[in-house]
Amino acid sequence: MKNFKLTIEYDGTDYHGWQIQPDKKTVQGSLYRAFHEFAGEDVKITGAGRTDAGVHAVGQVASVRLETKHSPTILRKALTGNLPRDILVRHVEEVPLSFSARFDATSRSYNYIFITRKTALWRRYYHYVKTDLDREAMRTALATLRGEKDFASFASSSDIKSTRCRMMKAELMENGPLLTISLTADHFLYNMVRTIAGVILDVGMGKPIDMDELIEARDRRAAGKTMPPNALYLMSVTY
Amino acid sequence: MKNFKLTIEYDGTDYHGWQIQPDKKTVQGSLYRAFHEFAGEDVKITGAGRTDAGVHAVGQVASVRLETKHSPTILRKALTGNLPRDILVRHVEEVPLSFSARFDATSRSYNYIFITRKTALWRRYYHYVKTDLDREAMRTALATLRGEKDFASFASSSDIKSTRCRMMKAELMENGPLLTISLTADHFLYNMVRTIAGVILDVGMGKPIDMDELIEARDRRAAGKTMPPNALYLMSVTY
């Protein structure tokens, strides 16, 4: 038995998210079939994080145990051949049997990308906003999110044990017409990035939001709306 | 009666091209319906150039005659409201009644965009190629296309009077992982940009192609394959 760590990129547009579901096109389900074709047997695929319908990934990570004599390179090439073109296995390496892509992850990074040029193109990848946003206010608001805090105000459901997260990075980056909110934390709550993106956009549009008060509220209703999924990218997972 | 010049951007992914067709989703057909909603009557929409299914436009131009008391700005806003989000009327101006978007055009510019990073994303917008292309050979080959020449070797059908075109610009541009063939000519023959893109790609991959001989042949079979439509953009039209 071998254990493989896969780094996966996908265009989430045409998928009902990462997690395998009966009768729905999902990324995990497509990988599952690609593995079945390669190995002739069912495998268990553990993903570092679930992504919702429409969310993209540049560096999703999964671990898969497999009885095989083949090298990681052979495995990567075989999977590429068995997968649709909107899923790409970027890297495969053999890891200790004990490795879990989900439980051993120490941080995840997400980008939420706005485009400040009104356009008919790239609608699947960016969220259009007007250009006259107060970038300094957005940066200041993002800074208040750094550190270990209770992010309950930014989580869509509360059926989890702890809403405390350690946010290592919360930045705004600008590149031409693209304006990116970049977040790194030990873990993220459900819809947390999309909710944060909505709050930071509100701040940029001049809404008077007291970030400390919002965090203190520990109530999802205190934050604004959940932003659409198509501008969200799971960028990387570290171990 | 007024005559309007429209500058239109669209994502061609979900369209059967520019030209209106019964029972098919086309850009011209969508504009036609948007005008009908605005004016309550049928209009004739003249486009500067037809784009095939899947081809995008950043600066397609159309002219439309209309009996209206409204300003170009009102017209632009009304059309935007009546159009799907993958078609955007960027600009509307009133022009003399004699103006034709098709017959008065003096040049058209097209981009064909390769991406040198293998990716699952942006497949609808770029064509993936390996990065080790001979860019100098590509630039040299493009230079041979400049000037007034017979482009019959690059045209898919020969049911047109003249296959002579005046190519004002034929360049290769590089920006990060994007490699763009940029062409400007007085007019283009059917599938001409996609055929040129294929030949230039062949050159970049080291195929020994004598460009002068290829042009001299005046035979479509002398050139390589027609490249896919999704990486082609009608950039602008000048008058």
Side-chain angles (χ1 to χ4, degrees):
Chain A
M1 181 72 75
K2 288 178 182 175
N3 194 14
F4 293 100
K5 178 188 171 200
L6 283 67
T7 307
I8 306 152
E9 178 172 308
Y10 49 84
D11 183 331
T13 308
D14 295 334
Y15 290 87
H16 290 270
W18 164 263
Q19 199 182 10
I20 197 164
Q21 297 174 60
D23 304 323
K24 291 215 167 150
K25 193 178 158 189
T26 68
V27 179
Q28 196 183 24
S30 300
L31 275 167
Y32 185 83
R33 274 192 303 281
F35 267 104
H36 194 100
E37 272 184 66
F38 173 74
E41 57 176 292
D42 292 349
V43 294
K44 190 178 161 226
I45 302 168
T46 305
R50 292 174 190 173
T51 53
D52 281 334
V55 174
H56 314 293
V58 173
Q60 168 75 289
V61 175
S63 52
V64 181
R65 287 191 201 182
L66 197 66
E67 198 71 70
T68 181
K69 60 182 195 312
H70 292 297
S71 70
T73 305
I74 297 285
L75 178 58
R76 183 179 59 75
K77 286 184 179 165
L79 289 172
T80 301
N82 293 345
L83 283 165
R85 286 194 306 157
D86 48 9
I87 302 178
L88 179 68
V89 176
R90 299 199 67 84
H91 187 73
V92 178
E93 63 180 299
E94 201 181 333
V95 286
L97 276 176
S98 61
F99 175 84
S100 161
R102 181 167 171 208
F103 294 107
D104 293 336
T106 52
S107 76
R108 282 106 173 149
S109 293
Y110 286 90
N111 281 357
Y112 197 92
I113 314 185
F114 299 110
I115 184 161
T116 58
R117 173 182 178 274
K118 186 155 184 166
T119 172
L121 291 151
W122 307 296
R123 284 187 317 106
R124 292 172 172 88
Y125 299 112
Y126 310 123
H127 183 78
Y128 169 67
V129 292
K130 296 219 162 108
T131 190
D132 57 345
L133 296 172
D134 184 342
R135 285 140 172 89
E136 263 324 291
M138 294 168 85
R139 288 202 167 91
T140 305
L142 280 166
T144 65
L145 298 176
R146 288 179 214 140
E148 193 177 324
K149 315 213 170 208
D150 189 327
F151 283 89
S153 292
F154 304 94
S156 281
S157 72
S158 53
D159 61 340
I160 36 166
K161 289 169 207 139
S162 169
T163 48
R164 287 194 80 79
C165 306
R166 195 158 53 89
M167 185 74 75
M168 293 100 143
K169 182 180 149 191
E171 284 175 8
L172 188 72
M173 303 181 302
E174 193 156 14
N175 182 10
L178 303 183
L179 199 60
T180 301
I181 291 173
S182 189
L183 304 173
T184 301
D186 58 347
H187 69 290
F188 285 86
L189 311 175
Y190 187 58
N191 273 346
M192 181 168 144
V193 183
R194 289 160 63 185
T195 310
I196 289 176
V199 169
I200 300 301
L201 180 59
D202 280 345
V203 168
M205 291 182 348
K207 264 203 192 171
I209 294 175
D210 184 322
M211 290 297 290
D212 293 323
E213 213 170 75
L214 174 54
I215 295 167
E216 206 55 46
R218 293 190 184 83
D219 182 346
R220 175 64 185 84
R221 289 164 296 181
K225 63 173 188 291
T226 304
M227 299 293 287
N230 62 303
L232 178 61
Y233 296 75
L234 170 52
M235 296 304 292
S236 61
V237 186
T238 56
Y239 293 90
Chain B
M1 181 72 75
K2 289 178 181 174
N3 194 12
F4 293 100
K5 177 188 172 201
L6 282 66
T7 308
I8 306 153
E9 178 172 308
Y10 48 84
D11 183 330
T13 308
D14 295 333
Y15 290 87
H16 290 270
W18 164 263
Q19 199 181 9
I20 199 163
Q21 296 175 61
D23 305 322
K24 291 213 168 151
K25 192 178 159 190
T26 68
V27 180
Q28 196 183 25
S30 300
L31 276 167
Y32 185 84
R33 273 192 303 281
F35 266 104
H36 195 100
E37 273 184 66
F38 173 74
E41 58 175 292
D42 292 348
V43 295
K44 190 178 161 225
I45 301 167
T46 305
R50 293 174 189 173
T51 53
D52 282 334
V55 175
H56 314 294
V58 173
Q60 167 76 288
V61 175
S63 52
V64 181
R65 287 189 200 181
L66 196 67
E67 198 70 70
T68 181
K69 61 183 195 312
H70 291 296
S71 70
T73 305
I74 297 284
L75 178 57
R76 182 179 59 75
K77 286 183 180 167
L79 289 172
T80 300
N82 293 346
L83 282 166
R85 287 194 305 157
D86 47 9
I87 302 178
L88 178 68
V89 177
R90 300 198 66 84
H91 188 72
V92 178
E93 64 181 299
E94 201 182 334
V95 286
L97 277 175
S98 62
F99 175 83
S100 161
R102 182 168 171 206
F103 295 107
D104 293 337
T106 52
S107 75
R108 282 108 174 149
S109 293
Y110 286 90
N111 280 357
Y112 197 93
I113 313 185
F114 298 111
I115 184 163
T116 58
R117 173 183 177 274
K118 185 155 184 164
T119 172
L121 291 151
W122 306 295
R123 285 187 316 107
R124 293 172 171 87
Y125 299 111
Y126 310 122
H127 183 79
Y128 169 68
V129 292
K130 295 222 163 107
T131 190
D132 57 345
L133 297 172
D134 185 342
R135 285 141 173 87
E136 264 322 292
M138 293 168 84
R139 289 201 167 89
T140 306
L142 280 166
T144 65
L145 298 176
R146 287 179 213 140
E148 193 177 325
K149 315 212 169 206
D150 189 329
F151 282 89
S153 292
F154 304 94
S156 281
S157 73
S158 52
D159 59 341
I160 36 168
K161 288 168 208 141
S162 168
T163 48
R164 287 193 81 81
C165 307
R166 195 158 52 88
M167 184 75 73
M168 294 101 143
K169 183 179 148 190
E171 283 176 7
L172 188 72
M173 303 182 302
E174 192 154 12
N175 182 10
L178 303 182
L179 199 61
T180 301
I181 291 173
S182 190
L183 304 174
T184 301
D186 58 347
H187 69 289
F188 285 87
L189 312 174
Y190 188 58
N191 273 345
M192 182 168 142
V193 184
R194 289 161 62 186
T195 311
I196 289 177
V199 169
I200 300 302
L201 180 60
D202 280 346
V203 167
M205 291 180 352
K207 263 203 193 173
I209 294 175
D210 185 322
M211 290 297 290
D212 293 323
E213 212 169 78
L214 174 54
I215 294 166
E216 207 54 48
R218 293 190 184 82
D219 182 347
R220 175 63 186 84
R221 289 164 297 182
K225 62 174 187 291
T226 304
M227 297 294 286
N230 63 303
L232 179 60
Y233 296 74
L234 172 52
M235 297 304 293
S236 61
V237 186
T238 56
Y239 293 89

